[in-house]
Structures are given as structure tokens and as C-alpha cells.
Amino acid sequence: MNKKLLAQFKKTLTQKKASITNKVNSRKLNEHEIETGGDEIDTATQSTEREMQFELGGMDTRMKQDIDNALAKIEKGTFGTCECCGENISQARLEAIPWVRYCKKCQEEAEKNSK
């Protein structure tokens, strides 16, 4: 992969990481605004909102870790290589999901085995 393309991926990954960080920080501020108290319906609604915030935070944390991993691979010179089979991941796949860890074949196999 040429240096210009790697630089573009690095820029995209860095921007996505900043976006996630901003979203997480905003979500933390909103968590403090969730009221407490009220009747049973209010309490149930507040509980559901907290659960959703918790799940979203977990997904963002995982994505941020994957982005950090991809950025480290750029620095090591291994970006775009499947972690399973060692083959190159297609450029189209990397453009769609730059933090992807596996080629399409290995990803499909992993998903098939997890069912």
C-alpha cells in the first residue's frame, strides 16, 4: 500500500476516533441530566435510558480499541493484513471499515462458526 493511501486511512481513523471521543463525552454529560425519582413509569424509563447509554458506551469503547489497533498497524507497517490468514484485505473493504481486522473470507468464516 502506498504512503499516500496509508496517510488517508490514518486521517480517516483519527477523525473517527475523535468523533467517538466527542460522542462519549457528550453522552457522559447527558447521563448526569437523566432525572431520578418519579413514579414507576418514570423510574422504568430512566432505567431503560441508562441501559441504552451503557450498551452504546460499550460499543464505542470496542470501536475505539479497534481504531487504535488499526493506527498501531499503520505505524508497524502491517495495516491491511488479515489477522487470521495473513492475506491482504481488499482496499474496498478497508475504505468501508478502515479498522477491520479480517479479510472478507475469514470474517464470514468467523461469523459462521459463532452461530
Side-chain angles (χ1 to χ4, degrees):
M1 189 173 301
N2 68 47
K3 289 183 181 187
K4 184 178 178 182
L5 190 55
L6 276 175
Q8 182 60 41
F9 280 123
K10 185 174 183 175
K11 179 181 177 185
T12 300
L13 289 162
T14 303
Q15 289 172 340
K16 183 66 175 177
K17 181 178 175 181
S19 172
I20 291 170
T21 301
N22 289 336
K23 187 167 51 167
V24 167
N25 291 339
S26 175
R27 192 175 298 122
K28 285 180 183 177
L29 290 174
N30 289 338
E31 283 177 7
H32 295 292
E33 293 175 5
I34 296 175
E35 295 181 28
T36 57
D39 61 17
E40 290 179 22
I41 294 173
D42 290 337
T43 303
T45 301
Q46 293 162 5
S47 177
T48 301
E49 286 181 34
R50 282 190 197 98
E51 275 186 48
M52 285 188 345
Q53 295 298 332
F54 181 76
E55 288 295 322
L56 291 171
M59 290 176 4
D60 287 337
T61 299
R62 285 187 295 278
M63 186 180 291
K64 194 173 171 190
Q65 289 170 342
D66 288 342
I67 290 170
D68 285 338
N69 184 40
L71 289 167
K73 286 180 176 183
I74 288 173
E75 297 304 316
K76 290 190 300 188
T78 59
F79 179 78
T81 303
C82 177
E83 290 181 12
C84 185
C85 69
E87 295 293 321
N88 288 333
I89 299 171
S90 72
Q91 184 174 333
R93 184 163 169 78
L94 289 169
E95 287 172 356
I97 312 169
W99 54 89
V100 71
R101 297 171 57 193
Y102 307 111
C103 67
K104 184 178 178 188
K105 180 181 173 187
C106 290
Q107 182 68 49
E108 287 172 348
E109 189 65 31
E111 288 173 4
K112 181 178 147 188
N113 289 335
S114 70
K115 290 182 181 180

